Amino acid sequence: MRPPMRSSIACIHCRKSKIKCENTGGVSPCDSCIKTGKKCEFKVPDPIPPKRSEPPTGVRQERDGGSDRKKLKKIDDLSKVDNQRASVYAEEVLCAPFLTEDLWEQVLDLYKLHFAPELPFLHLPTMKEKLGRKLKTSPPDSNPELNLVLLGVLTLTARFHPDLVKYLAHICNNQPGNARTRPIQTQFDPSAASEYYADVLTMALGPLRTSMKVASVERVAAYLMLGLYEWGQTQPKTGGLGAWMYVGVAIRMAQYLGLGFGDIPESRDSQVESTELQRRSSCQQSQVALDKEVRRRTMFSCFILDRMLACGKERVPIIQAEDIQVQLPCSEDKFDLAMEVPTGFLRNRGQHGVDDSVLSRFIQLVDIWSDISKFSSQGGRLNEKERDHPPWTEGSTFYRLNEKLAAFDAELPSTFTFSRSNYFKHENHQASSVYVSLHMLRCLCLIMLHREYIPFVPVRCEKPEGPLDEPIPKGSPPEGFWISSAEQVFKAARGIVDLIEICQRKDKLPQSTIILFAIWTASFCGLYAEHFPQMDIEKHMLNYDFENTQQSDSKAKVFRRGSVAFTYVTLHKMSMWLKMASTYVTILQRMDTYFVKIKQDYYRFAAKNARTGERSLRVREGGTGGGLEEYSPMRTYLKDLGTLHPEDRVRIDTPERSSPNTVDRDHAPSGETKPSNSSAANKPPKPAPASSFTAINHTPIMPAPPQDANSPYNNGAGYPTPHPEAYPESWRYHSSAPQQQPTPAQTYSASDAMVDANTTAIASEAHDLAYWDSFFKKEAPRRIGSIGDLGYFSSGDSQLAVADMPFGDSSYIPALADGSYQYLQQVEY
């Protein structure tokens, strides 16, 4: 007999309370249970339901809806009392009815997917056993140190669990009233759930003076989880000081507890320890081995986060790799079984123990990444120590780090190397996150190392070349050196894109900050290849097939098709949970606009320089450089992992950015005659060349055009217009077919149409106020001379003599009895 339809769509609590159950078909908790904080269960009743026994009094009280609201109010009241009762508050939060055993298992799975590579210290079997015992005992066992770890896990994972997001949205809003009359909101902020638990964890750690006098492994883990969460939420306006301090406290506490020592004992201590181990039972030996492994993994978690936060200029790490005297973590199966096995040490990369693991290899790669990050943040090739050592010589830091990476790759076991089959092997054993993090970081290391010698704006290059700005490496590089180095960058970026694609098929892409930074770096490499396709000779990033059908046609094509569009969608999705991702989305959009405009400026002024015979090193002014002056002000946004110091806004454009008219006035000869506007309409259009590489300059300066009225390099405005062949559409869209070009008078509007709708706002925001102040002071005579006539017209007075005004003769300027300026001042708006 089929049960009634209404019984199958109402949860147990709503059916018992005889209220309307508003749900989505039993897939997620109903609105009433979310508001009351109860566990929502859907059960199809049998045709003849058996008579149920009366539940105990304590259970009846727990299932009463009114008592749940009182409990939430009690929690809010407890949060305001003295900090000495913080542990009681944490216990009340963790005893919420919706935190069931099944939900905790889902939360721990989320933790393993997203954060186990950076924070591998959680022993999940032990955690599940303690949680089961905690939830089944009444009253629950209170363990303040364990509660810190549980709150840390919820802080990291609550934003990824849709049911927790709904429950916490109601708790944070705390809407009073009847659940039947107040509809629940449909849009939730996932980060609000994690923010709630982060606040509880911060309170549970206790007041500052007390928390700084108590040390335990659990507290180290709590500080690390809180620091990792804060770092993922970092934005330029807030900065990352909170994460910097939390991780710093965790490292100092770990050093106080001696977590980095113990596996290299003296000979006498080793004999005593072996004798004690023989006396212990197997159960005791297993527990001792587990405790030691947890301590090791906690120390290496400190090491990983320390190196992650140190990836940036003027960020000094705390931990020295040679001071870590504990062996590397064991494999996951040995960790789950609490087995003691030798694994080798961090700095002895060539001497691996009996047990090898992807996690131990990942930690070794983090050590190499730290050296590459230090080389990059200290200036890279611009460092004084590197000027006398070309990158292909053994004395250079580049050569030494490149050899380290090559040795690391050579030592990887075949099952650890990157391939689709190896990914599915690790994914089958629930260990794909560490595998993905390993190869994401490896690709990131290659990009960070090889990009140091690639020109930032290679608009003049026909193929990959070395630096175009001083200091230029001395001597001749080996044949194909620069081409091979550039290929390493784009090949590594394509590897990151392939990893994203594999993970997203099963929605198993880790959402950690290291993964985010790798994706952002790959997206920028793809954007660089789209604007300068001659640098990606093998088309690793240019030939990626992807189309974002949900993106409007008004968006630039680079964000609708190709590798950049794919990584852009990934970054945008990650911004739901990591605020740092939203910053990278903004930077990527502005860098696309930046590259479009700097190429326009280059071709505009290169034509003008060819006509006037002037020379410049600045690429924006049509010079022969590689854009080092452009790159230096924005290097922190492009190279650093996150933002440590707060800033008002992200500044992408450089202070040296000048308007076309201003630059033309600066470089135009004093006796030059401006052509009339009538010549602009008579300029014939030229078809674009068939090859997209025809636009590359084969000579340092573009050839001078003819100086007649019909020259395509002149227009009525008096400043040079880019040659139609110099900036064809095929440069942006990489089409080999000829495209009809607009007339020179239309060139600017056609180029601007390719930019995002927000281009105008972005361009105006990019102008640095400090630059304009200095510019106006320098150009005061010209500026006032250009607008002095306006002051005379409006007020009858001017700071310049009438003869010095651009009109050149006072007869053109009628005298004013009373200026309109005074009249405008009297108007009330």
Side-chain angles (χ1 to χ4, degrees):
M1 180 178 178
R2 186 175 180 180
M5 189 62 186
R6 60 179 297 182
S7 300
S8 62
I9 59 174
C11 70
I12 296 177
H13 173 258
C14 291
R15 189 185 298 113
K16 185 178 179 64
S17 302
K18 296 182 180 181
I19 60 176
K20 183 179 179 181
C21 184
E22 298 180 0
N23 60 76
T24 57
V27 178
S28 60
C30 69
D31 294 356
S32 177
C33 290
I34 289 176
K35 290 186 176 182
T36 56
K38 296 192 67 65
K39 177 183 178 182
C40 189
E41 294 180 319
F42 292 87
K43 182 179 180 181
V44 178
D46 296 332
I48 304 177
K51 185 177 180 181
R52 292 178 295 179
S53 59
E54 188 71 17
T57 306
V59 178
R60 277 205 311 270
Q61 293 177 354
E62 181 181 355
R63 291 184 179 180
D64 187 4
S67 62
D68 289 332
R69 285 200 178 86
K70 293 180 180 179
K71 182 179 292 185
L72 293 178
K73 187 175 184 302
K74 179 181 178 183
I75 292 175
D76 291 338
D77 293 338
L78 283 173
S79 63
K80 300 176 183 179
V81 300
D82 188 59
N83 288 328
Q84 294 180 354
R85 304 185 61 185
S87 60
V88 178
Y89 177 46
E91 186 68 34
E92 289 286 343
V93 170
L94 292 173
C95 288
F98 55 82
L99 291 177
T100 62
E101 190 171 357
D102 292 338
L103 189 141
W104 270 112
E105 289 189 3
Q106 298 169 12
V107 164
L108 293 177
D109 290 340
L110 287 171
Y111 179 91
K112 186 174 183 180
L113 173 64
H114 298 305
F115 307 107
E118 290 90 345
L119 304 176
F121 46 71
L122 280 190
H123 188 245
L124 297 185
T126 302
M127 291 293 296
K128 293 179 180 179
E129 187 271 333
K130 291 182 178 180
L131 280 169
R133 186 170 63 247
K134 179 183 181 68
L135 296 173
K136 291 178 181 179
T137 57
S138 182
D141 295 336
S142 180
N143 187 341
E145 298 298 302
L146 175 63
N147 290 345
L148 296 177
V149 178
L150 295 178
L151 288 172
V153 172
L154 289 173
T155 298
L156 290 172
T157 59
R159 51 191 155 166
F160 300 105
H161 199 290
D163 292 348
L164 274 178
V165 171
K166 292 180 181 179
Y167 280 122
L168 270 301
H170 174 70
I171 292 179
C172 294
N173 295 333
N174 199 16
Q175 298 177 356
N178 196 306
R180 293 176 292 180
T181 59
R182 289 184 173 268
I184 192 168
Q185 62 186 59
T186 57
Q187 297 294 331
F188 304 101
D189 181 14
S191 62
S194 291
E195 282 290 333
Y196 173 81
Y197 287 114
D199 293 339
V200 178
L201 175 57
T202 305
M203 186 178 298
L205 287 169
L208 183 62
R209 293 192 64 185
T210 304
S211 60
M212 293 297 103
K213 297 178 181 179
V214 182
S216 65
V217 178
E218 290 81 6
R219 285 182 171 267
V220 175
Y223 279 115
L224 289 176
M225 289 188 280
L226 194 56
L228 182 58
Y229 169 74
E230 292 288 349
W231 189 241
Q233 302 304 104
T234 298
Q235 289 184 305
K237 291 184 179 180
T238 58
L241 179 60
W244 183 268
M245 298 301 294
Y246 285 131
V247 174
V249 170
I251 293 173
R252 289 304 186 192
M253 193 174 292
Q255 291 175 337
Y256 172 81
L257 295 172
L259 302 186
F261 302 93
D263 286 344
I264 309 181
E266 298 179 359
S267 58
R268 182 179 304 176
D269 296 337
S270 179
Q271 295 176 358
V272 174
E273 184 178 356
S274 60
T275 304
E276 292 180 355
L277 286 175
Q278 293 176 359
R279 294 178 180 177
R280 293 171 182 166
S281 62
S282 59
C283 182
Q284 291 176 334
Q285 291 180 8
S286 177
Q287 187 61 41
V288 170
L290 178 61
D291 293 341
K292 292 178 64 176
E293 183 65 18
V294 169
R295 290 169 63 91
R296 295 188 195 107
R297 289 175 173 242
T298 305
M299 187 63 205
F300 280 112
S301 298
C302 295
F303 175 76
I304 294 172
L305 265 62
D306 184 40
R307 294 304 189 260
M308 180 184 69
L309 293 178
C311 182
K313 186 178 181 181
E314 298 178 353
R315 303 185 196 172
V316 182
I318 301 177
I319 303 174
Q320 303 299 320
E322 55 271 12
D323 294 337
I324 301 179
Q325 300 182 13
V326 291
Q327 67 178 18
L328 292 166
C330 61
S331 58
E332 292 303 311
D333 57 336
K334 301 296 190 300
F335 182 45
D336 290 341
L337 298 175
M339 297 176 61
E340 178 76 21
V341 288
T343 58
F345 292 84
L346 178 60
R347 281 303 171 96
N348 295 327
R349 297 191 180 93
Q351 301 177 1
H352 299 286
V354 177
D355 185 70
D356 199 1
S357 65
V358 180
L359 179 59
S360 63
R361 299 285 182 162
F362 174 70
I363 294 173
Q364 293 176 7
L365 186 59
V366 168
D367 191 26
I368 301 176
W369 175 48
S370 173
D371 295 336
I372 295 175
S373 174
K374 182 179 179 180
F375 167 69
S376 178
S377 61
Q378 290 181 350
R381 73 175 186 88
L382 303 178
N383 195 301
E384 292 289 340
K385 299 179 182 179
E386 306 299 322
R387 300 198 173 190
D388 297 331
H389 302 284
W392 54 85
T393 61
E394 296 183 1
S396 65
T397 305
F398 176 92
Y399 185 90
R400 177 175 56 84
L401 294 175
N402 196 40
E403 289 294 312
K404 274 188 178 183
L405 277 177
F408 177 84
D409 291 341
E411 294 174 1
L412 274 181
S414 58
T415 54
F416 292 175
T417 57
F418 175 61
S419 67
R420 290 179 179 267
S421 60
N422 280 343
Y423 169 81
F424 291 116
K425 290 176 184 177
H426 290 275
E427 191 267 339
N428 189 49
H429 291 85
Q430 305 298 320
S432 61
S433 297
V434 183
Y435 178 83
V436 171
S437 299
L438 171 71
H439 289 285
M440 284 268 191
L441 186 59
R442 174 186 169 274
C443 294
L444 179 62
C445 289
L446 287 170
I447 296 173
M448 292 179 64
L449 181 61
H450 286 272
R451 72 183 177 190
E452 287 296 325
Y453 290 87
I454 296 179
F456 181 58
V457 186
V459 67
R460 296 179 52 253
C461 301
E462 298 180 3
K463 61 181 180 180
E465 297 182 15
L468 302 178
D469 302 283
E470 293 293 340
I472 297 177
K474 302 177 181 178
S476 300
E479 184 178 357
F481 178 82
W482 299 123
I483 295 178
S484 175
S485 181
E487 184 183 1
Q488 291 286 345
V489 173
F490 298 109
K491 186 178 180 180
R494 177 58 183 268
I496 294 175
V497 172
D498 291 339
L499 280 168
I500 301 172
E501 181 183 355
I502 295 173
C503 295
Q504 285 189 346
R505 289 184 176 181
K506 292 188 176 181
D507 198 19
K508 289 191 175 182
L509 179 66
Q511 304 290 317
S512 64
T513 50
I514 291 181
I515 299 294
L516 170 62
F517 186 58
I519 295 174
W520 145 247
T521 306
S523 65
F524 179 75
C525 291
L527 184 68
Y528 183 90
E530 291 286 344
H531 285 280
F532 310 104
Q534 73 277 17
M535 304 299 286
D536 188 7
I537 292 182
E538 299 297 329
K539 299 186 182 302
H540 292 290
M541 297 296 284
L542 296 177
N543 282 347
Y544 186 76
D545 185 17
F546 174 79
E547 182 176 1
N548 183 14
T549 57
Q550 299 180 355
Q551 195 69 264
S552 62
D553 293 339
S554 61
K555 204 73 172 177
K557 186 176 180 180
V558 71
F559 295 118
R560 292 185 281 116
R561 295 183 182 90
S563 60
V564 181
F566 182 66
T567 53
Y568 178 80
V569 171
T570 305
L571 289 173
H572 195 272
K573 182 179 179 181
M574 296 180 74
S575 65
M576 294 174 56
W577 307 293
L578 301 172
K579 292 182 180 179
M580 185 185 289
S582 62
T583 302
Y584 286 135
V585 169
T586 302
I587 295 176
L588 190 65
Q589 293 173 338
R590 296 184 180 182
M591 286 307 302
D592 176 60
T593 304
Y594 169 83
F595 280 137
V596 169
K597 288 189 173 295
I598 196 170
K599 288 191 296 186
Q600 290 176 352
D601 290 349
Y602 170 80
Y603 289 116
R604 180 183 301 127
F605 297 117
K608 183 249 186 185
N609 293 343
R611 177 163 50 87
T612 61
E614 297 187 15
R615 296 291 184 269
S616 175
L617 293 177
R618 296 163 55 86
V619 66
R620 188 180 291 276
E621 298 175 0
T624 59
L628 179 61
E629 73 284 351
E630 301 280 335
Y631 174 70
S632 297
M634 62 182 76
R635 57 179 297 179
T636 56
Y637 304 114
L638 304 180
K639 296 175 65 173
D640 294 0
L641 199 170
T643 305
L644 184 60
H645 298 281
E647 299 180 8
D648 293 336
R649 58 184 176 179
V650 177
R651 300 177 184 271
I652 292 300
D653 214 338
T654 60
E656 292 81 2
R657 177 68 185 270
S658 304
S659 63
N661 292 336
T662 300
V663 179
D664 186 64
R665 286 198 304 270
D666 288 345
H667 294 280
S670 58
E672 183 179 0
T673 303
K674 304 294 182 182
S676 61
N677 291 336
S678 60
S679 63
N682 299 325
K683 292 180 288 186
K686 284 191 177 183
S691 173
S692 63
F693 291 95
T694 307
I696 300 296
N697 292 326
H698 295 269
T699 56
I701 298 297
M702 299 180 66
Q707 299 296 324
D708 56 9
N710 296 324
S711 172
Y713 291 88
N714 295 326
N715 62 12
Y719 53 82
T721 306
H723 196 285
E725 294 183 357
Y727 191 56
E729 289 291 312
S730 58
W731 262 80
R732 181 167 177 79
Y733 300 126
H734 318 300
S735 173
S736 59
Q739 300 181 13
Q740 184 67 27
Q741 291 297 311
T743 62
Q746 298 171 338
T747 302
Y748 296 115
S749 60
S751 299
D752 291 339
M754 297 183 298
V755 188
D756 190 7
N758 296 328
T759 298
T760 304
I762 294 173
S764 62
E765 181 180 327
H767 289 291
D768 195 323
L769 297 178
Y771 162 71
W772 285 115
D773 291 339
S774 62
F775 175 77
F776 283 151
K777 291 178 182 179
K778 183 180 69 175
E779 296 295 320
R782 293 182 181 270
R783 177 171 59 87
I784 297 175
S786 300
I787 65 173
D789 56 297
L790 299 179
Y792 192 89
F793 276 127
S794 60
S795 63
D797 188 17
S798 177
Q799 298 180 14
L800 291 182
V802 175
D804 295 334
M805 296 182 186
F807 289 94
D809 188 6
S810 61
S811 62
Y812 290 95
I813 307 176
L816 301 178
D818 38 42
S820 59
Y821 179 78
Q822 288 83 353
Y823 171 75
L824 293 175
Q825 291 284 55
Q826 297 172 3
V827 176
E828 295 183 0
Y829 294 95

